[in-house]
Amino acid sequence: MITDSKYLFEVAKNNHYAIPHANFIDSNSARVFVKTAEKRGLPILLAFAQSHSSILSLDEAAAIGKFYAESVSVPIVLHLDHGEDFDFIKRAIDLGFSSVMIDASQKSFDDNIAITQKVVDYAHNRNVVVEAELGHVGANDVSESDQVTDSVYTEASKVVAFVEATNVDSLAISIGTAHGVYKGEPKINFERLHEIASLTSVPLVLHGGSSSGDENLGRCAREGITKINIYTDFLVGAYQAVKEAKPQNYIDLKKAADAGMEKVLDHYFDVFGTQAIKE
Ligand SMILES: [Zn+2]
């Protein structure tokens, strides 16, 4: 069923685990994520990134996301990932997304606050939750964003002012991960995570989880991160499974890819220590 992330994040935060955020780009990936969540009895964020609208339109993503989210009994947050402009985010809310991200992390602090406030106003009036980003999680490739960018760590001293000014429901922080495939293993700044977590009660979330190392991500989940975004690892897992299965036809190829993505989500449920939500 579709829900927002408010209660899920509160429970995850109090119990020191994280919920996976899985980016879908077609009906197969959406179906696999939701069915795997149902199989495990666990919640997920079923996410669609604005930068993927060239692969799947927002209207298609809303229809697919709502259909699969409503087809299971576990909590599914239909989330817009990396919303870049107000009009696109407004459209996602109007189409039934239960959660949206405004990513103005490359704008100035004041501009980030201004656009985030505008999104929060529109979203909260419609019972939709909002994630914003402070600092910037960079990108090693263009799989999830339009350009390769360097990361800028979140400054702990700015967190309280940002959260108070915007009233966001969750905050993406930059503590060492990057989008896309990481070359080597990132060094996560856990001191910064602890510092930020001690300053604010807003749930903290982590982007660029793919290829960041299970030990790193498990520790993030236990030490203050409530949601971790995974995208690239699903593509890598699907492609790896196809190569191993050596399918002789298109249907078998899709089956192998689906099984590959299921394995990745199963793996991250275990790494993040995700627990079932008891009503
Ligand atoms: Zn991201």
Side-chain angles (χ1 to χ4, degrees), residues 170-193:
S170 64
L171 186 67
I173 57 170
S174 176
I175 51 170
T177 55
H179 291 101
V181 175
Y182 209 93
K183 292 150 195 84
E185 202 161 282
K187 176 138 180 45
I188 308 282
N189 189 334
F190 287 100
E191 295 72 31
R192 188 69 61 96
L193 170 59

Side-chain angles (χ1 to χ4, degrees), residues 1 5-6 10 35 38 44 49 56 78 81 84 88 98 121 129 136 139-140 149 154 156-157 173 227 240 272 275:
M1 73 192 159
S5 55
K6 234 180 163 67
E10 192 188 307
K35 298 292 178 198
E38 180 80 341
I44 55 163
L56 191 72
L78 185 58
D81 189 24
E84 295 158 24
F88 194 93
S98 59
D121 274 350
V129 293
H136 176 67
N140 290 323
T149 55
T154 305
S157 60
I173 57 170
K227 186 254 296 182
Q240 195 62 38
F272 301 167
Q275 293 174 20

Side-chain angles (χ1 to χ4, degrees), residues 65-272:
K66 280 190 284 188
F67 175 79
Y68 285 114
E70 293 294 3
S71 74
V72 294
S73 59
V74 288
I76 307 286
V77 179
L78 185 58
H79 176 74
L80 175 70
D81 189 24
H82 290 287
E84 295 158 24
D85 60 274
F86 181 77
D87 287 346
F88 194 93
I89 295 169
K90 177 182 177 295
R91 216 148 61 76
I93 293 170
D94 295 345
L95 283 166
F97 279 70
S98 59
S99 171
V100 293
M101 177 194 190
I102 164 68
D103 179 1
S105 61
Q106 287 184 280
K107 295 192 189 321
S108 72
F109 184 68
D110 290 342
D111 288 352
N112 191 350
I113 286 180
I115 183 146
T116 301
Q117 280 173 334
K118 191 177 173 190
V119 170
V120 167
D121 274 350
Y122 190 82
H124 282 185
N125 278 324
R126 287 152 186 86
N127 295 318
V128 169
V129 293
V130 180
E131 171 188 337
E133 179 166 328
L134 189 60
H136 176 67
V137 177
N140 290 323
D141 55 43
V142 292
S143 60
E144 233 178 312
S145 49
D146 297 333
Q147 59 201 52
V148 172
T149 55
D150 287 332
S151 287
V152 179
Y153 276 54
T154 305
E155 291 176 55
S157 60
K158 289 186 171 171
V159 168
V160 173
F162 185 85
V163 170
E164 275 178 9
T166 58
N167 198 21
V168 279
D169 301 283
S170 64
L171 186 67
I173 57 170
S174 176
I175 51 170
T177 55
H179 291 101
V181 175
Y182 209 93
K183 292 150 195 84
E185 202 161 282
K187 176 138 180 45
I188 308 282
N189 189 334
F190 287 100
E191 295 72 31
R192 188 69 61 96
L193 170 59
H194 301 154
E195 193 186 353
I196 294 169
S198 73
L199 290 170
T200 181
S201 61
V202 79
L204 304 175
V205 304
L206 188 68
H207 282 245
S210 289
S211 74
S212 295
D214 292 348
E215 216 174 294
N216 275 337
L217 296 181
R219 204 175 150 196
C220 283
R222 289 188 299 275
E223 297 184 15
I225 293 290
T226 58
K227 186 254 296 182
I228 300 176
N229 292 24
I230 303 290
Y231 171 56
T232 309
D233 278 358
F234 288 116
L235 304 190
V236 172
Y239 188 56
Q240 195 62 38
V242 168
K243 281 200 289 188
E244 280 165 20
K246 299 188 178 67
Q248 298 302 306
N249 61 64
Y250 182 59
I251 299 296
D252 287 347
L253 181 150
K254 291 215 291 184
K255 277 186 193 158
D258 286 356
M261 288 189 285
E262 179 179 351
K263 200 171 145 190
V264 172
L265 184 52
D266 266 326
H267 174 74
Y268 280 123
F269 274 136
D270 296 333
V271 171
F272 301 167

